[in-house]
Amino acid sequence: MNHHELNVIDFHAHFPVTFNSNPSDREPHPLLANYARDRGERMRKEHATLPPEPMARTDEEVDAYAARWAAEIERHRLRRIVFVTGRNNDLLSSLVARYPDRFAGLAHHKLEPGAEVELKRAVDELGLVGYKLLAPRTDYPFEDPQLRPVWEFCAERKLPVLIHFGFLGRGGGIVHHPRMSPLTLYEVACDFPEIPFVIPHFGAGYWQDLLALCWSLPNIYVDSSGSNQWVQWMPYNLTLKDLFAKAYETIGSERILFGSDSSYFPRGFVLRYLQDQLRICYQLNLPEEDIGAIFGGNAARLLGLEVE
């Protein structure tokens, strides 16, 4: 499947670098750790990928991975890749600055009272172009008045805000939290329709709730990223083709964004996910202009780039 003429923008990737440890994170029970490891190995075998190389730790390793990622973009003829994590805002900003025509980055610090200060710095001083959050790791309700300055800034700048809802992690991951469902965003998304909220992985187990939110509000976008293996854990049959078909039928092409969830090497950019998703869109007989929007045009619009 030839994607070279589509000007593909991957809206969801992770730079492969170690994260600073969080003192509040507890070490998992050994039985849970083993289960997570076994599930991860099974997933790797299902996709026939090589074991991942270690995440970058030193400055030299970060430099090397940045160069490899730039080469991946060139090799696969992508227009740009958006890293939604990269250890911290300063490091990710420095990577984007090295390859400004290839990389873009989202701020990814914790949502808490006062978070608008760091967000303003990340956007105005560091050049990051949005905000990425993990709902199942957010301690405050989105509508908490203390968080309102964050949303006001995002609305003022029309910043895309990507929020992971639903299952988080692999075996032993999070499946219960007050903010698992995309519907917990309803009040804020309703109050701030200027903010384009992007929900990745088709809601990661909360597809019905995500569709309801999309039905109610025009500023909710769906991100197709990753293997979407969560469909295996639904109590009814559901496939990636079903997800694309329903999203296109209900919200149209203008609110669907391609993402790969790529990260580590030697896998690099997951071309298979792009090919699978493109194949599905052609099987569904989507018009070429809609395919172009999904795989690059919509992302360009949200990022303030020229739509090619």
Side-chain angles (χ1 to χ4, degrees):
M1 190 79 61
N2 192 326
H3 63 273
H4 298 162
E5 66 273 17
L6 285 178
N7 293 305
V8 172
I9 296 177
D10 184 347
F11 201 77
H12 190 134
H14 301 267
F15 190 79
V17 63
T18 55
F19 277 77
N20 297 326
S21 60
N22 188 338
S24 64
D25 287 345
R26 296 180 301 173
E27 285 293 321
H29 189 284
L31 292 178
L32 295 180
N34 289 338
Y35 176 64
R37 191 160 43 248
D38 291 345
R39 290 283 323 159
E41 181 62 14
R42 175 178 168 180
M43 180 177 174
R44 184 185 68 78
K45 289 179 178 178
E46 288 174 357
H47 287 267
T49 58
L50 295 170
E53 297 174 15
M55 297 291 181
R57 292 180 178 275
T58 66
D59 292 343
E60 292 76 14
E61 290 169 343
V62 168
D63 291 344
Y65 278 170
R68 288 174 74 177
W69 257 115
E72 283 287 283
I73 294 170
E74 189 71 25
R75 180 164 72 94
H76 293 293
R77 301 189 193 179
L78 308 178
R79 181 180 180 187
R80 195 175 298 258
I81 194 162
V82 181
F83 289 113
V84 302
T85 60
R87 183 184 287 161
N88 55 51
N89 295 336
D90 290 282
L91 178 61
L92 185 52
S93 170
S94 71
L95 297 174
V96 172
R98 293 180 216 180
Y99 301 96
D101 295 330
R102 292 289 179 261
F103 297 171
L106 304 188
H108 49 289
H109 55 284
K110 194 167 185 178
L111 179 62
E112 57 189 0
E116 72 278 1
V117 176
E118 172 61 11
L119 184 58
K120 290 177 182 178
R121 186 183 78 91
V123 172
D124 292 340
E125 299 179 25
L126 302 182
L128 301 180
V129 292
Y131 195 17
K132 189 279 175 100
L133 300 167
L134 298 172
R137 290 191 179 275
T138 299
D139 298 330
Y140 295 83
F142 296 116
E143 68 275 12
D144 190 310
Q146 299 176 91
L147 301 180
R148 196 167 182 86
V150 173
W151 307 127
E152 289 173 344
F153 177 74
C154 291
E156 175 191 335
R157 301 298 181 87
K158 295 182 173 58
L159 284 180
V161 178
L162 186 147
I163 308 180
H164 178 114
F165 290 94
F167 305 161
L168 181 60
R170 296 180 182 172
I174 300 174
V175 294
H176 177 70
H177 187 274
R179 279 159 288 287
M180 289 297 290
S181 168
L183 289 177
T184 60
L185 183 64
Y186 172 75
E187 189 172 328
V188 164
C190 191
D191 284 349
F192 296 96
E194 306 92 339
I195 303 174
F197 288 101
V198 181
I199 314 302
H201 319 303
F202 290 101
Y206 286 76
W207 182 222
Q208 181 174 342
D209 289 1
L210 178 50
L211 287 175
L213 198 63
C214 288
W215 173 84
S216 177
L217 299 168
N219 55 326
I220 306 299
Y221 291 71
V222 174
D223 153 346
S224 65
S225 62
S227 66
N228 287 293
Q229 288 200 22
W230 61 264
V231 299
Q232 299 178 18
W233 300 90
M234 293 293 97
Y236 45 82
N237 290 331
L238 189 62
T239 67
L240 185 60
K241 189 173 183 179
D242 295 328
L243 295 172
F244 265 98
K246 181 57 68 175
Y248 186 76
E249 173 191 349
T250 53
I251 64 175
S253 63
E254 64 272 13
R255 288 197 275 156
I256 306 173
L257 298 165
F258 164 70
S260 72
D261 210 17
S262 299
S263 55
Y264 57 84
F265 290 104
R267 186 179 72 167
F269 176 69
V270 192
L271 180 61
R272 177 188 303 179
Y273 295 166
L274 173 59
Q275 292 173 329
D276 288 347
Q277 294 182 31
L278 264 178
R279 184 180 303 110
I280 285 170
C281 288
Y282 282 115
Q283 289 171 348
L284 293 172
N285 293 312
L286 270 59
E288 290 288 346
E289 58 268 27
D290 289 345
I291 292 175
I294 292 169
F295 290 91
N298 294 334
R301 177 163 43 85
L302 292 185
L303 296 173
L305 303 174
E306 181 180 350
V307 178
E308 298 179 357

